[in-house]
Amino acid sequence: MEAVREPRTPQSQKGDRGQGGKKRSLQGGQWAKRQKTRKEKPVNEGSHEEVLVADIRALFAKQKLSQAPEGDIVKKEENADDIKTEEVDSTRVGNGESTNEVGKAILPDKFAEIEVEVVEISSTGDGLAIHPDSDQIYVVPFSTPGDIVKAKVITHFKNEHYSLADFVSVVKAGSLRDDSRVNCKYFASCSGCQFQMLDYPTQLAHKKTIVEKAYKNFSQLPPELMPLIGDTIGSPLRYGYRTKLTPHFDGPPGPRRDRNKVFKEIPEIGFMAKNRRVTLDIEDCPIGTEAVRMGMKRERERVGEKLSTYRKGVTILLRENTLRVRNDDEQASKDIPDTIKTTTEKYTDFKSCITDNNGTSTEYIGDFVFTNIAGSFFQNNNSILTPFTQYIRDNILPPTPSSAEPPIKYLIDAYSGSGLFTITLSSLFESSMGIDISGPSITSAKENAKLNNLPESQCSFMAADAPELFKSVKYPKDETVVVIDPPRKGCDESFLNQLMQFGPKRVVYVSCNVHTQARDVGVLVRGSEVGARYNLESLIGFDFFPQTAHVEGVAVLSRVDPEEKVGKAE
Ligand SMILES: C[S@@+](CC[C@H](N)C(=O)[O-])C[C@H]1O[C@@H](n2cnc3c(N)ncnc32)[C@H](O)[C@@H]1O
């Protein structure tokens, strides 16, 4: 059943406004009633779906569409019914409702191509578009506000009134789009980058809105408790910045458990296609550093040569490694095969790409040196780490130290990894302690403390679950600051409760997922009955991943002492 009207011409876009140019209110009225009764749920794990649905709900409210969705944010899997029934193209991502009827609206058939007008970019990096025939929002990747694009419908989500669609082509470009900026021939098919068609200031401005919306949707804090959000700080490198990439290839086609299946030809080696469960063959990725790109080429060749040794798919680790020598060292004048050589005033760096998960990678942040087990966590954009750690240094202590209060002398780095914050901030404190659940990361952290001439009395580490730190912490709470940098799912309740019970003077919350950060910061600002509560002093994003929709958030919080009131930061 094809329910699409004639394709929209650019002129017919005026159809979004009724006669007299009034903003349309499709079937009017109901949405407002629903807005009153709806209470936003806190984000669970800040998944793609949760964040997308929050944006879609907000857009429904803004556009005054009649079918504003209600109820819980449903995970895709809970709403699934068409993975099994998909006959047309089993590689398609999409497990929404298979029906084409949503409420009273008739929706386009799956795989129908329709023209839609993009009204905003979601926090997930996708264009959110409207179509004149239905109260449904179309999620179209690689599109920007003002674009009219042709999109191919993949699946409809009945509960939330949105549809996923593939980007097909631009019918009329909006003012933000300039495709001559695109730097990769796989852009608009690879799932890696979303924003290559945007200029960099627009990318940064968008990332600021991601932080704003995250706190609006998920912190449950009233606006008067929010500070002004800072402008997102950009990455010195906008391409060639990723020090780690993990391309993969799938096993030989055929039944999964058939160990006798062998590759007949070199498989696609690369990254997932957007909206499809297939791997794209990608021979080069311009967001990788030169050394990583060199490693990617080499590893692709190696897989081809050793094809008969593989029985299943593999994820290939590509991690940059730096060998630094002083310019007065004889080695600096030589070339080392398979390395990218760069010379600065004092040093010559030889950058290579390592692929062994258990190998050791080395990198430099200013004058600090960090080693890491290559397969363990370390930040992926070295170019931003100097301004980033400097920002934390500049903000970790109170802006105006009070003579009536004891100075802050102690640092706890929770979720410390291999010691990025513990080590780069250590000189500000008498004693610092890092804790991380990963044994290999803590082994690296101890080694890194030694390499940076920090004795154990000044900088120590512990391999344990983060809440364990509160059992042994000896630092006085009034003289302690805690840095938190958890994984994407954020902190668990037990950790936050114990943190508030301990009640350090300051908390700096760093996160690669601003949505779970907003949820957790909301908890700290509201406080607990038996513990401290906090004032959100400042909030800012850092662009660790240019060309993508990711943003790293840094929230600085100060404890509210009994005589103080929680209030808007100066
Ligand atoms: C985003 S990384 C941050 C690491 C470090 N701050 C850095 O920037 O290099 C999150 C870290 O949390 C650690 N982690 C995950 N769950 C944890 C837990 N329950 N307790 C302590 N550490 C945990 C991981 O091992 C990882 O090193």
Side-chain angles (χ1 to χ4, degrees):
M1 175 174 45
E2 173 60 83
V4 191
R5 278 194 202 150
E6 290 294 308
R8 305 178 82 194
T9 60
Q11 286 78 9
S12 75
Q13 299 314 305
K14 292 196 187 89
D16 283 342
R17 292 177 181 270
Q19 283 181 345
K22 275 194 185 159
K23 194 100 179 117
R24 69 182 180 151
S25 170
L26 287 177
Q27 288 160 36
Q30 294 161 316
W31 72 273
K33 219 156 75 192
R34 288 179 179 162
Q35 290 303 307
K36 278 185 197 155
T37 52
R38 177 187 309 147
K39 196 167 171 262
E40 203 64 70
K41 296 251 174 186
V43 71
N44 289 323
E45 294 202 350
S47 70
H48 190 89
E49 284 77 31
E50 285 178 285
V51 171
L52 183 62
V53 167
D55 276 1
I56 286 167
R57 289 176 175 185
L59 184 57
F60 266 110
K62 204 160 80 187
Q63 292 285 324
K64 301 188 175 29
L65 295 175
S66 64
Q67 297 281 358
E70 291 184 277
D72 289 356
I73 291 175
V74 217
K75 276 192 186 160
K76 263 188 178 179
E77 303 80 63
E78 290 163 6
N79 202 15
D81 76 349
D82 74 344
I83 290 184
K84 298 183 286 298
T85 58
E86 188 64 84
E87 281 167 15
V88 183
D89 184 349
S90 62
T91 64
R92 293 284 172 181
V93 171
N95 40 12
E97 295 285 329
S98 58
T99 175
N100 283 42
E101 288 193 30
V102 172
K104 286 176 205 149
I106 303 290
L107 295 175
D109 280 343
K110 283 196 204 173
F111 310 113
E113 290 192 1
I114 57 172
E115 278 185 28
V116 291
E117 180 183 2
V118 181
V119 288
E120 67 177 49
I121 310 181
S122 71
S123 295
T124 57
D126 303 303
L128 300 182
I130 51 177
H131 184 265
D133 295 335
S134 57
D135 286 2
Q136 187 85 347
I137 285 173
Y138 291 84
V139 180
V140 188
F142 315 115
S143 62
T144 71
D147 285 349
I148 294 166
V149 295
K150 192 180 275 183
K152 188 177 198 171
V153 175
I154 304 173
T155 194
H156 301 299
F157 286 85
K158 184 174 149 191
N159 292 352
E160 295 291 349
H161 302 279
Y162 74 93
S163 305
L164 296 183
D166 270 348
F167 169 84
V168 177
S169 60
V170 178
V171 176
K172 183 168 181 264
S175 60
L176 297 177
R177 171 183 286 277
D178 179 352
D179 285 328
S180 71
R181 295 188 185 110
V182 172
N183 217 344
C184 175
K185 65 179 176 189
Y186 301 104
F187 182 69
S189 11
C190 173
S191 58
C193 294
Q194 291 83 41
F195 292 158
Q196 293 193 18
M197 72 307 218
L198 296 178
D199 71 2
Y200 197 53
T202 304
Q203 293 186 28
L204 293 180
H206 175 66
K207 292 186 187 196
K208 184 173 172 180
T209 70
I210 297 177
V211 181
E212 278 163 3
K213 285 195 288 179
Y215 276 74
K216 200 167 158 203
N217 291 337
F218 300 123
S219 74
Q220 300 187 329
L221 291 176
E224 61 273 19
L225 294 187
M226 287 296 300
L228 278 179
I229 297 174
D231 289 341
T232 302
I233 296 182
S235 168
L237 295 178
R238 286 129 201 214
Y239 282 95
Y241 63 82
R242 269 198 83 132
T243 47
K244 178 187 173 193
L245 284 175
T246 48
H248 67 271
F249 59 92
D250 302 318
R256 277 204 181 151
R257 288 200 192 86
D258 186 349
R259 288 173 183 274
N260 296 322
K261 281 270 170 195
V262 288
F263 285 101
K264 296 229 163 50
E265 53 190 41
I266 300 173
E268 281 78 21
I269 308 173
F271 305 109
M272 292 304 286
K274 180 73 181 173
N275 284 348
R276 292 171 74 97
R277 295 191 191 97
V278 293
T279 304
L280 293 177
D281 194 46
I282 294 182
E283 76 287 0
D284 189 20
C285 173
I287 63 171
T289 64
E290 257 191 277
V292 163
R293 291 169 79 174
M294 185 182 66
M296 188 156 167
K297 192 164 177 266
R298 186 190 66 211
E299 287 307 299
R300 284 171 56 87
E301 283 166 9
R302 201 176 60 81
V303 170
E305 283 159 17
K306 297 201 164 174
L307 199 59
S308 60
T309 63
Y310 294 103
R311 291 283 175 280
K312 54 181 187 173
V314 168
T315 294
I316 302 167
L317 171 72
L318 304 172
R319 171 59 93 178
E320 185 173 278
N321 174 47
T322 304
L323 169 70
R324 173 167 287 185
V325 292
R326 291 175 58 94
N327 287 341
D328 54 17
D329 186 318
E330 200 191 323
Q331 200 180 1
S333 61
K334 297 186 180 147
D335 285 328
I336 302 178
D338 266 347
T339 63
I340 305 288
K341 181 178 176 181
T342 47
T343 303
T344 56
E345 208 182 315
K346 281 199 220 157
Y347 302 108
T348 298
D349 285 345
F350 296 92
K351 298 202 183 225
S352 60
C353 178
I354 58 177
T355 54
D356 177 3
N357 273 280
N358 297 317
T360 301
S361 62
T362 301
E363 64 183 88
Y364 292 82
I365 302 168
D367 287 333
F368 294 101
V369 57
F370 285 87
T371 59
N372 212 50
I373 303 300
S376 301
F377 180 88
F378 199 70
Q379 305 289 353
N380 290 341
N381 176 353
N382 179 273
S383 80
I384 201 168
L385 291 180
T386 299
F388 175 65
T389 49
Q390 186 59 45
Y391 177 89
I392 310 259
R393 238 186 122 78
D394 293 343
N395 289 277
I396 196 158
L397 296 173
T400 43
S402 151
S403 55
E405 291 174 354
I408 294 180
K409 295 187 206 144
Y410 305 100
L411 166 70
I412 295 172
D413 181 7
Y415 311 88
S416 67
S418 59
L420 177 68
F421 300 122
T422 344
I423 288 168
T424 55
L425 300 170
S426 173
S427 64
L428 295 175
F429 303 97
E430 244 175 63
S431 171
S432 306
M433 185 192 106
I435 179 167
D436 197 281
I437 204 160
S438 157
S441 290
I442 290 298
T443 305
S444 303
K446 288 178 177 169
E447 178 62 21
N448 292 335
K450 279 189 211 145
L451 288 170
N452 291 285
N453 303 316
L454 295 166
E456 211 182 324
S457 57
Q458 200 182 334
C459 191
S460 62
F461 290 94
M462 167 176 162
D465 191 9
E468 293 292 306
L469 84 90
F470 300 106
K471 288 188 184 151
S472 57
V473 65
K474 302 244 169 18
Y475 300 156
K477 62 177 185 169
D478 292 340
E479 298 171 31
T480 300
V481 56
V482 177
V483 173
I484 318 171
D485 183 10
R488 290 191 68 73
K489 65 179 181 182
C491 300
D492 62 27
E493 217 179 309
S494 150
F495 178 86
L496 290 175
N497 283 336
Q498 292 188 64
L499 178 69
M500 289 185 288
Q501 264 171 34
F502 172 56
K505 187 74 182 156
R506 288 172 78 75
V507 173
V508 176
Y509 192 140
V510 177
S511 178
C512 56
N513 184 338
V514 286
H515 307 94
T516 51
Q517 182 194 48
R519 175 199 67 197
D520 294 349
V521 165
V523 171
L524 295 176
V525 171
R526 282 188 295 280
S528 77
E529 277 171 24
V530 289
R533 65 197 171 103
Y534 288 84
N535 195 19
L536 179 52
E537 198 175 276
S538 65
L539 177 61
I540 196 164
F542 276 81
D543 187 18
F544 274 54
F545 298 104
Q547 322 307 332
T548 78
H550 294 284
V551 59
E552 186 93 3
V554 179
V556 178
L557 298 115
S558 52
R559 194 182 66 206
V560 180
D561 288 328
E563 63 280 7
E564 288 176 47
K565 284 201 175 102
V566 184
K568 198 164 183 150
E570 289 295 305

